[in-house]
Amino acid sequence: MSEIKTVTIVGASGYAGGEFLRLALQHPYLEVQQVTSRTYAGQPVHFVHPNLRGATNLKFTTPEALEPTDVLVLALPHGVAAREFERYQGLAPLIIDLSADFRLKDLGLYERFYGAPHPRPDLLERFAYANPEINRAEILAKPYLAGAGCTATATLLGLYPLFAEGVLLPKPVFVTVLVGSSAAGAQATPASHHPERAGSLRVYKATGHRHTAEVLEYLPGRPEVHLTAIASERVRGILMTAQAFLPDGYSERDVWAAYRAVYGEAPFIRIVKQKKGVHRYPDPKVLEGTNYCDIGFELEPDTGRLVVISALDNLVKGTAGHALQALNLKLGWPETLGLTYTGLHP
Amino acid sequence: MSEIKTVTIVGASGYAGGEFLRLALQHPYLEVQQVTSRTYAGQPVHFVHPNLRGATNLKFTTPEALEPTDVLVLALPHGVAAREFERYQGLAPLIIDLSADFRLKDLGLYERFYGAPHPRPDLLERFAYANPEINRAEILAKPYLAGAGCTATATLLGLYPLFAEGVLLPKPVFVTVLVGSSAAGAQATPASHHPERAGSLRVYKATGHRHTAEVLEYLPGRPEVHLTAIASERVRGILMTAQAFLPDGYSERDVWAAYRAVYGEAPFIRIVKQKKGVHRYPDPKVLEGTNYCDIGFELEPDTGRLVVISALDNLVKGTAGHALQALNLKLGWPETLGLTYTGLHP
Amino acid sequence: MSEIKTVTIVGASGYAGGEFLRLALQHPYLEVQQVTSRTYAGQPVHFVHPNLRGATNLKFTTPEALEPTDVLVLALPHGVAAREFERYQGLAPLIIDLSADFRLKDLGLYERFYGAPHPRPDLLERFAYANPEINRAEILAKPYLAGAGCTATATLLGLYPLFAEGVLLPKPVFVTVLVGSSAAGAQATPASHHPERAGSLRVYKATGHRHTAEVLEYLPGRPEVHLTAIASERVRGILMTAQAFLPDGYSERDVWAAYRAVYGEAPFIRIVKQKKGVHRYPDPKVLEGTNYCDIGFELEPDTGRLVVISALDNLVKGTAGHALQALNLKLGWPETLGLTYTGLHP
Amino acid sequence: MSEIKTVTIVGASGYAGGEFLRLALQHPYLEVQQVTSRTYAGQPVHFVHPNLRGATNLKFTTPEALEPTDVLVLALPHGVAAREFERYQGLAPLIIDLSADFRLKDLGLYERFYGAPHPRPDLLERFAYANPEINRAEILAKPYLAGAGCTATATLLGLYPLFAEGVLLPKPVFVTVLVGSSAAGAQATPASHHPERAGSLRVYKATGHRHTAEVLEYLPGRPEVHLTAIASERVRGILMTAQAFLPDGYSERDVWAAYRAVYGEAPFIRIVKQKKGVHRYPDPKVLEGTNYCDIGFELEPDTGRLVVISALDNLVKGTAGHALQALNLKLGWPETLGLTYTGLHP
């Protein structure tokens, strides 16, 4: 069938690469060609990803063994894709980089948040920031995709329509994100040791979280956004709350209108706002494994304070899922292809 | 399309019914016709099952509003299906009961474990015990299906081939099952109150667990099996360990052979037994939402003691998944239809 | 020995009353005289509180059986202490009410957050708000003690010195609190059902949290404070983060100075702020069972944004511990008596 | 005061050493003199153990800086204490080794379970196995103490009286232990990485668990005991279940009598066996931080199968607590000194 595209994942033993692999294996039009891992080269995929036992017989190879492919996914540590880009660019016409290397166009923001000048500014114009809900045109136009940050995605999806439609004051917006432990990657560290991390609630980035740069770059009008990040007990999932103020004369109706205007056709955005019941607002628990970003809000009538709440699975909608969604768009496939899993309850 | 069958779920606000609903909504040949819940009649499905928001617009109805359907799934409290069977039997040619009412043919076992004579022994011959790996012929032959117990399924799938192939001594077999909190159902109780249950490891059925009856009835040769059940911290998932002895002269090779003989073609059984790595044995964590039962074992060379380990998701392979798998078989559909989700890592 | 005081706890089967009971049983100068519970009257204390098995032989009695005592602790649902005050006031010269009934002096704040006029404004002048770090003089002066709210205590202890010393701008302060499940009490509900709550991160009070009233009343200068409350996976513990701005010209040195000025002698306040290591900021995990409130902060140099972080055990420092600490003060005992448990690691 | 003894802990940054340190700091007659850690030499204790912030100003030193002391506690990796014993033995008249090096007298058992001959059999007669409930006479007689294994302690305390009093058949006893993650120590590994371990239920030692050797050596009559160990989600805590059979003619009354005969005066053993309520059997959750071992049981009347259940905190009663209890005994202090913390609920 002419529709089938081959895909190769570099760094597939990590959590981002492993998640793209999982999604690709269940995608009707993708065929996984190669997966690489220096650490686990020669081992079958299920040695690292036990969920994929029986779903594939692939073994990890080294990056040196890469062959040409239709879609090349790079899931490498920060800085590696930029540094070694020449190694990869001849291998595939379509490259998806899941790192932070090509997300920002604003070189000043990059330097401010990453502490050094961008190593390869010449490559930036080839990449589209792969947030399909707010950046579809660029995704269709550019040859490559830069996967967005998970925390940035949760924040942007919650706030973008409000700023796009002028519903929030551009005064300081205060964001608090609760992030699951998988967002820090597959490498064991003293802080990730189960006896230390289990049950902890730790502020891990009170100020200066790097994903803030994406939020600043992609929110319309560049409002003043402050972000504090807390490590939660969950393995997967982000819960974002933002607090800001509506302009005088604006009401809940305007908030609804803004979300409808921007997300009216978005298949993976659900507004969750109920007066009653257990599940009144977004909760990352019910989103495990799904590509949804659930969004809710609450307005404090006497102060005009708006609390925006968003939730997603950091590895799916926050990483591999939106990248696949963007790939679907680029290749002219249905946007939701391979991404329709609904999640579990309870 | 003539393939499509309508399905109606009675008691769909509970965890067993809700899980069948989730699977049915994603099944290519099933169309969910009605879902009932006395408590939530009139509410949309997602009020109770937030994962299904956007996946269906169905609302719960009362059982009084039931209409004829192709497949009727009963997910009712113990004893109700037997007591009210006349209410349901005219509604559909194919009935699946997920309760314990019709699982046992041995009336003595029923009375011993349920504390009273079976209320409707006349109905038993119409039901097949819906464990597809060990009871396929009956599933194809009988008009109705009796969903198996989750703990019984984990235990039976781990032990059945060993007794079928004569690899274990019929001396006492000691089974310990660790069970997630969802297995006790959707009703809040003092013991299920989060501050009480979170972090607890509680023996909840040291002796006399009712699912033992199914194990005794369906294990070949009716060996002496003892079962102790412990409530674990997980929401979903069962980990079963069994300890028993190989006959003299038997070795690990015979254990492998037994599993291969019985499960060689079974798409949902995976043998997990690795010498190295993090994931050496079955673990219910990686099975959330899947229909797999992973099975592993370890032989103590100097004593002949065999430790058998099995894991599954109590609501999928333990309840709704195997019932759907049996339904696929009965209707001549591919056995794995709608059940191919691989689960997540991490 | 003349030092010994008898104490009676009304509502001792709940979490707040049970925690005061636990602390009182280990206090060298307190003798627990009676504990009441309508639900569990006649049962031994350990039937409800298994940790106290062997620590006491007391059984719950009904409130009707109360006898005169030295210290009477009321741990009743909201509104009951005010409504039934006459029943209790003759029983003891010193009353500690752990509910919200007598915390606020500002009747307008009470009505705004509790939705009705205060039922007994005449009683308010007899009660001191029992936060020993910020309200010691009143605690010594008034005959009765009103235990503070757990979320209010975490917020007040984090912010009070900064406003008392003029280190924060009185512009909006945005507070996000993560709260353990025990803060909602011992009554099982659909939302507290383990399968529903476990693993959830739920905004449960986006706006209008009642403890906000205490924060507003007791913060110097009554700054504009906004609070959003999220239910976390923990059973015990609160993590509070606040975001606000320093006035021009102020620096981290002023923040340190403010905390030192107010908390220099406070035995239960620890400033936790490390550049390295796993435990750089306050974390409720390491505070389980302790009376500490750990406080940390981080200043964003280029914006003047200050992130304040505080953590405590909602049932100890947030409820029963600070009440006992205030009682120690009132009775002229060492402030830390019976409250020196250090907590665990890991 | 002449009662005061100085104590020095070698390897105090680990979990066992850190726990002994915590207990020693709160003990009225112990004064902590030195704590060593090669990794953290020069750091304050609270850098590693955040619970001890404010409880001590001690810093870690290197083992080379050790000075003579009254009590020397060795909390070193397996084999180090035996290998380097000469380095330590001159430093203190009383040595407590928390490793497995000196627990077994039976050299054959040591070799079978540890895979090599014992390196220093000459030292064994100086050490008493420090389980105070079953080995008090030896603890008083020998100069040194060998701390017992946590899993062995849970198993021995549950089974010892039954074999001592002849209440169980010496036929195979099947033990399943659920063990918290802190039992594997403070070193981060791929298996202890939070995303991998959180939510897992993993058989980590199906056969051949080394603590089995202690169970075999110290159970009267050396019955045939088989043990399977499962890693649970908890950080602290062990739940042990054992299944075995009563001899003909024995009843529940005999089980009670056996426990009373052996544990009648034991301050840290509680029999937990209730017909009703949430807390019917031992649960490690309510034992966090305590020195209790709770024991319960259930007899299956028609088969004579007895299920024995025990629970404890692996770092307290399983490691540092029983060692301190034994030290109290040796020094003629009250057995419970410094060990009276009751634990929390919920």
Side-chain angles (χ1 to χ4, degrees):
Chain A
M1 205 166 38
S2 67
E3 289 261 40
I4 297 291
K5 298 281 184 185
T6 57
V7 61
T8 287
I9 301 163
V10 180
S13 64
Y15 292 157
E19 194 69 0
F20 199 97
L21 172 58
R22 175 181 77 85
L23 294 172
L25 285 170
Q26 298 230 334
H27 192 286
Y29 296 160
L30 289 175
E31 182 182 308
V32 182
Q33 182 177 339
Q34 287 184 291
V35 289
T36 82
S37 164
R38 290 202 186 282
T39 309
Y40 297 102
Q43 293 278 11
V45 157
H46 68 246
F47 185 81
V48 175
H49 303 300
N51 56 326
L52 302 182
R53 183 185 293 270
T56 177
N57 290 321
L58 280 170
K59 295 185 176 186
F60 294 111
T61 63
T62 60
E64 285 71 24
L66 284 174
E67 297 161 12
T69 189
D70 292 330
V71 180
L72 184 70
V73 177
L74 304 178
L76 295 163
H78 174 60
V80 177
R83 199 164 59 238
E84 305 185 351
F85 196 73
E86 271 61 37
R87 163 187 233 130
Y88 301 113
Q89 70 174 334
L91 291 169
L94 204 166
I95 292 178
I96 303 175
D97 180 54
L98 298 181
S99 82
D101 289 5
F102 306 110
R103 292 173 186 165
L104 300 170
K105 309 299 179 225
D106 182 326
L107 296 173
L109 271 176
Y110 184 92
E111 188 162 348
R112 176 175 153 210
F113 280 91
Y114 289 86
H118 196 285
R120 292 295 303 273
D122 58 303
L123 296 173
L124 292 176
E125 66 176 327
R126 298 195 225 167
F127 282 87
Y129 186 67
N131 183 320
E133 281 78 16
I134 70 175
N135 206 35
R136 178 173 300 223
E138 198 189 17
I139 289 169
L140 296 174
K142 297 291 179 67
Y144 299 157
L145 297 173
C150 56
T151 292
T153 300
T155 308
L156 280 168
L157 291 176
L159 295 177
Y160 182 92
L162 305 176
F163 285 107
E165 304 289 314
V167 174
L168 275 187
L169 289 179
K171 296 198 307 184
V173 179
F174 292 90
V175 172
T176 303
V177 283
L178 296 164
V179 184
S181 61
S182 63
Q187 192 64 39
T189 68
S192 80
H193 188 45
H194 183 272
E196 303 292 335
R197 174 73 186 249
S200 281
L201 286 172
R202 288 184 197 147
V203 174
Y204 72 94
K205 207 69 190 164
T207 64
H209 193 294
R210 289 174 163 185
H211 290 189
T212 310
E214 297 168 50
V215 175
L216 295 176
E217 173 149 345
Y218 294 99
L219 273 190
R222 197 169 287 193
E224 186 184 336
V225 176
H226 301 286
L227 190 148
T228 292
I230 303 172
S232 86
E233 166 72 5
R234 291 189 57 77
V235 169
R236 283 174 179 246
I238 290 180
L239 183 73
M240 190 278 314
T241 57
Q243 306 193 45
F245 290 96
L246 263 60
D248 285 344
Y250 279 67
S251 72
E252 192 175 309
R253 178 187 299 257
D254 301 295
V255 179
W256 278 108
Y259 284 122
R260 268 198 225 100
V262 177
Y263 295 145
E265 308 295 314
F268 293 115
I269 304 289
R270 303 187 295 192
I271 304 297
V272 179
K273 180 169 166 50
Q274 292 186 180
K275 288 211 167 59
K276 290 187 175 178
V278 173
H279 310 285
R280 293 174 292 132
Y281 298 118
D283 179 350
K285 178 185 181 183
V286 303
L287 299 174
E288 275 200 339
T290 79
N291 198 48
Y292 290 112
C293 177
D294 283 354
I295 297 173
F297 62 90
E298 198 65 49
L299 180 63
E300 197 165 50
D302 48 349
T303 65
R305 177 174 63 122
L306 185 74
V307 180
V308 176
I309 304 153
S310 66
L312 49 71
D313 180 323
N314 55 297
L315 293 177
V316 190
K317 186 58 173 166
T319 302
H322 75 244
L324 180 54
Q325 183 186 350
L327 181 66
N328 282 340
L329 287 175
K330 269 195 89 61
L331 296 177
W333 297 336
E335 186 172 356
T336 60
L337 213 61
L339 293 167
T340 53
Y341 176 63
T342 58
L344 301 176
H345 171 250
Chain B
M1 202 165 43
S2 69
E3 290 261 39
I4 297 292
K5 296 282 184 184
T6 57
V7 61
T8 287
I9 302 162
V10 179
S13 65
Y15 291 157
E19 194 69 0
F20 199 97
L21 170 58
R22 175 180 79 84
L23 295 171
L25 286 170
Q26 296 230 334
H27 193 285
Y29 297 160
L30 288 176
E31 182 184 307
V32 182
Q33 180 177 341
Q34 287 184 291
V35 289
T36 81
S37 165
R38 291 201 185 280
T39 309
Y40 297 101
Q43 293 279 12
V45 156
H46 68 244
F47 185 83
V48 175
H49 303 301
N51 56 327
L52 301 182
R53 182 185 294 268
T56 177
N57 291 317
L58 280 170
K59 295 185 176 183
F60 293 111
T61 62
T62 61
E64 285 70 26
L66 284 174
E67 297 162 11
T69 188
D70 292 332
V71 180
L72 184 70
V73 177
L74 304 178
L76 294 163
H78 175 60
V80 177
R83 200 165 58 238
E84 304 184 353
F85 195 74
E86 271 61 36
R87 159 186 237 132
Y88 301 112
Q89 70 174 337
L91 291 169
L94 204 167
I95 292 178
I96 304 174
D97 179 55
L98 298 181
S99 82
D101 289 7
F102 306 110
R103 293 173 186 165
L104 300 169
K105 309 296 180 229
D106 182 326
L107 295 173
L109 272 177
Y110 184 92
E111 187 162 350
R112 176 175 153 210
F113 280 91
Y114 290 85
H118 196 287
R120 294 294 303 273
D122 59 305
L123 297 173
L124 293 175
E125 68 176 324
R126 297 195 227 168
F127 282 87
Y129 186 67
N131 184 319
E133 281 79 14
I134 69 175
N135 206 34
R136 178 173 300 224
E138 198 189 17
I139 288 169
L140 296 174
K142 295 292 179 69
Y144 300 156
L145 298 172
C150 54
T151 292
T153 300
T155 308
L156 280 168
L157 290 177
L159 296 176
Y160 181 92
L162 305 175
F163 286 107
E165 303 290 314
V167 175
L168 276 186
L169 289 178
K171 293 197 309 185
V173 179
F174 292 88
V175 173
T176 303
V177 282
L178 295 164
V179 184
S181 62
S182 63
Q187 191 65 41
T189 67
S192 79
H193 187 45
H194 181 271
E196 303 293 335
R197 174 71 186 252
S200 281
L201 287 171
R202 288 186 199 144
V203 175
Y204 73 93
K205 207 69 191 166
T207 64
H209 192 294
R210 290 174 163 185
H211 290 189
T212 310
E214 296 168 51
V215 175
L216 295 175
E217 173 149 349
Y218 294 99
L219 274 189
R222 196 167 289 194
E224 185 183 338
V225 176
H226 301 286
L227 190 149
T228 291
I230 303 173
S232 86
E233 167 71 6
R234 290 190 56 78
V235 170
R236 280 173 181 248
I238 290 179
L239 182 74
M240 190 278 316
T241 57
Q243 306 193 47
F245 290 96
L246 264 59
D248 285 344
Y250 279 67
S251 72
E252 191 176 308
R253 178 188 299 259
D254 302 294
V255 178
W256 279 108
Y259 284 122
R260 267 197 225 100
V262 177
Y263 296 146
E265 307 295 315
F268 294 116
I269 305 289
R270 303 187 295 192
I271 303 297
V272 179
K273 180 170 168 46
Q274 293 186 180
K275 287 209 166 59
K276 289 187 175 180
V278 174
H279 310 284
R280 293 175 292 133
Y281 298 117
D283 180 349
K285 178 186 181 182
V286 303
L287 299 174
E288 275 199 339
T290 80
N291 197 49
Y292 290 113
C293 178
D294 282 355
I295 297 173
F297 62 90
E298 197 66 50
L299 180 64
E300 196 165 51
D302 49 348
T303 64
R305 177 176 62 124
L306 185 73
V307 180
V308 176
I309 305 155
S310 67
L312 50 72
D313 179 325
N314 55 297
L315 293 178
V316 191
K317 186 58 173 167
T319 302
H322 75 246
L324 178 55
Q325 182 186 351
L327 180 66
N328 281 340
L329 287 174
K330 270 198 87 63
L331 296 177
W333 296 336
E335 187 172 355
T336 61
L337 215 59
L339 293 167
T340 54
Y341 175 65
T342 59
L344 301 176
H345 170 253
Chain C
M1 207 166 37
S2 67
E3 289 261 39
I4 298 292
K5 298 282 184 184
T6 57
V7 61
T8 287
I9 301 162
V10 180
S13 65
Y15 292 157
E19 194 69 359
F20 200 98
L21 171 60
R22 176 181 78 85
L23 294 171
L25 285 170
Q26 296 230 335
H27 193 285
Y29 296 161
L30 288 176
E31 183 184 307
V32 181
Q33 183 178 337
Q34 288 185 290
V35 289
T36 80
S37 164
R38 290 200 186 282
T39 309
Y40 297 101
Q43 293 278 12
V45 156
H46 67 246
F47 185 81
V48 175
H49 302 301
N51 56 327
L52 302 182
R53 183 184 294 267
T56 178
N57 291 320
L58 280 170
K59 295 186 176 183
F60 293 110
T61 62
T62 60
E64 284 70 26
L66 285 174
E67 296 162 13
T69 190
D70 293 331
V71 179
L72 184 70
V73 177
L74 304 178
L76 294 163
H78 175 60
V80 177
R83 198 165 59 237
E84 304 186 353
F85 196 74
E86 271 61 37
R87 161 184 236 135
Y88 301 112
Q89 72 173 336
L91 290 170
L94 204 165
I95 293 177
I96 303 174
D97 179 54
L98 298 180
S99 82
D101 289 5
F102 306 111
R103 293 173 186 165
L104 300 170
K105 308 299 178 224
D106 183 327
L107 296 173
L109 272 176
Y110 184 93
E111 189 163 347
R112 176 174 151 209
F113 280 91
Y114 289 85
H118 196 286
R120 293 295 304 272
D122 59 302
L123 296 173
L124 293 176
E125 66 176 327
R126 297 195 224 169
F127 282 88
Y129 186 66
N131 183 319
E133 281 79 15
I134 70 174
N135 207 34
R136 178 172 303 222
E138 198 189 18
I139 287 169
L140 296 174
K142 297 291 178 68
Y144 300 156
L145 297 172
C150 55
T151 292
T153 299
T155 308
L156 279 168
L157 290 176
L159 295 177
Y160 181 92
L162 304 176
F163 286 106
E165 303 289 314
V167 174
L168 275 186
L169 290 179
K171 295 197 306 184
V173 179
F174 292 89
V175 172
T176 303
V177 284
L178 296 165
V179 184
S181 62
S182 63
Q187 191 65 40
T189 67
S192 80
H193 187 46
H194 182 273
E196 303 291 335
R197 175 70 187 252
S200 281
L201 286 172
R202 287 184 199 147
V203 175
Y204 73 93
K205 206 70 191 163
T207 65
H209 192 293
R210 289 174 163 186
H211 289 190
T212 311
E214 296 168 51
V215 175
L216 294 176
E217 172 149 348
Y218 293 99
L219 273 190
R222 195 167 289 192
E224 187 184 334
V225 176
H226 300 286
L227 191 149
T228 292
I230 303 173
S232 86
E233 166 71 5
R234 290 190 57 76
V235 170
R236 282 174 179 244
I238 290 179
L239 181 74
M240 190 280 314
T241 57
Q243 307 193 47
F245 290 96
L246 262 60
D248 285 345
Y250 278 67
S251 73
E252 189 175 311
R253 179 187 299 258
D254 302 293
V255 178
W256 278 108
Y259 283 122
R260 269 197 223 99
V262 177
Y263 295 145
E265 308 294 315
F268 294 116
I269 305 289
R270 303 187 295 193
I271 304 296
V272 178
K273 179 169 167 50
Q274 293 186 179
K275 287 209 166 60
K276 290 186 174 179
V278 174
H279 310 285
R280 294 174 291 132
Y281 298 118
D283 179 350
K285 177 185 181 185
V286 303
L287 299 174
E288 275 200 339
T290 81
N291 198 48
Y292 290 112
C293 177
D294 283 355
I295 297 173
F297 62 91
E298 198 65 49
L299 180 63
E300 197 166 49
D302 48 348
T303 64
R305 177 174 62 124
L306 186 73
V307 180
V308 176
I309 305 154
S310 66
L312 49 72
D313 180 323
N314 55 298
L315 293 177
V316 192
K317 187 58 173 167
T319 303
H322 76 246
L324 179 54
Q325 182 185 351
L327 181 67
N328 281 341
L329 287 175
K330 270 197 88 60
L331 295 176
W333 295 336
E335 187 173 353
T336 61
L337 215 59
L339 293 167
T340 54
Y341 175 64
T342 59
L344 302 175
H345 171 251
Chain D
M1 205 165 39
S2 68
E3 290 261 38
I4 298 291
K5 297 282 185 186
T6 56
V7 62
T8 287
I9 302 162
V10 180
S13 65
Y15 292 156
E19 193 70 358
F20 200 97
L21 171 58
R22 176 182 77 86
L23 294 172
L25 286 170
Q26 297 230 335
H27 192 285
Y29 297 161
L30 288 176
E31 183 183 305
V32 181
Q33 181 178 339
Q34 287 185 291
V35 290
T36 82
S37 164
R38 290 201 185 281
T39 309
Y40 297 101
Q43 294 277 13
V45 157
H46 67 245
F47 185 83
V48 175
H49 303 301
N51 56 328
L52 301 181
R53 182 184 294 269
T56 178
N57 290 319
L58 280 170
K59 294 184 175 185
F60 294 110
T61 62
T62 61
E64 284 70 25
L66 283 174
E67 297 162 12
T69 189
D70 293 332
V71 179
L72 185 69
V73 177
L74 304 177
L76 294 162
H78 175 61
V80 177
R83 199 163 59 236
E84 305 184 352
F85 195 74
E86 272 59 37
R87 161 185 236 133
Y88 300 112
Q89 70 173 336
L91 291 169
L94 204 166
I95 292 177
I96 303 175
D97 179 54
L98 299 181
S99 82
D101 289 6
F102 306 111
R103 292 173 186 165
L104 300 169
K105 310 299 180 225
D106 183 326
L107 295 172
L109 271 178
Y110 184 93
E111 188 163 347
R112 175 175 153 209
F113 281 91
Y114 289 85
H118 196 285
R120 293 294 304 273
D122 59 304
L123 296 173
L124 292 176
E125 68 175 324
R126 297 196 226 168
F127 282 87
Y129 187 66
N131 183 320
E133 280 79 15
I134 69 174
N135 207 34
R136 179 172 301 222
E138 198 190 17
I139 288 169
L140 295 174
K142 297 290 179 69
Y144 300 156
L145 298 172
C150 54
T151 292
T153 300
T155 308
L156 278 168
L157 290 177
L159 294 177
Y160 182 93
L162 305 176
F163 286 107
E165 303 290 313
V167 175
L168 275 186
L169 290 178
K171 294 198 307 187
V173 178
F174 291 89
V175 172
T176 304
V177 283
L178 296 165
V179 184
S181 61
S182 63
Q187 192 64 42
T189 67
S192 79
H193 187 46
H194 183 271
E196 302 293 335
R197 174 71 186 251
S200 280
L201 286 172
R202 287 186 199 144
V203 175
Y204 71 95
K205 207 69 191 164
T207 65
H209 193 293
R210 290 173 163 185
H211 290 190
T212 310
E214 297 167 50
V215 175
L216 295 176
E217 173 148 348
Y218 293 100
L219 273 190
R222 196 167 287 193
E224 185 183 337
V225 176
H226 301 286
L227 191 148
T228 292
I230 303 172
S232 86
E233 166 70 6
R234 290 190 56 78
V235 169
R236 281 173 179 247
I238 291 179
L239 182 74
M240 191 278 314
T241 57
Q243 306 193 48
F245 290 96
L246 264 59
D248 285 345
Y250 280 67
S251 71
E252 190 175 309
R253 177 188 301 257
D254 301 294
V255 178
W256 278 108
Y259 284 122
R260 267 197 225 100
V262 177
Y263 295 145
E265 307 294 314
F268 293 116
I269 305 289
R270 304 187 294 193
I271 304 297
V272 178
K273 179 169 167 50
Q274 292 185 178
K275 289 210 165 60
K276 289 187 176 180
V278 173
H279 311 285
R280 292 173 293 133
Y281 297 118
D283 179 351
K285 178 186 181 181
V286 304
L287 299 173
E288 273 200 340
T290 80
N291 198 48
Y292 290 112
C293 178
D294 283 354
I295 298 172
F297 61 90
E298 198 66 49
L299 181 63
E300 197 165 51
D302 48 347
T303 65
R305 175 174 64 123
L306 185 72
V307 180
V308 176
I309 304 155
S310 67
L312 49 72
D313 180 324
N314 55 298
L315 293 177
V316 191
K317 187 57 173 168
T319 302
H322 76 247
L324 179 54
Q325 182 186 351
L327 180 67
N328 281 340
L329 287 173
K330 270 198 85 62
L331 295 177
W333 297 336
E335 186 172 356
T336 61
L337 215 59
L339 293 166
T340 54
Y341 175 65
T342 57
L344 302 176
H345 170 250

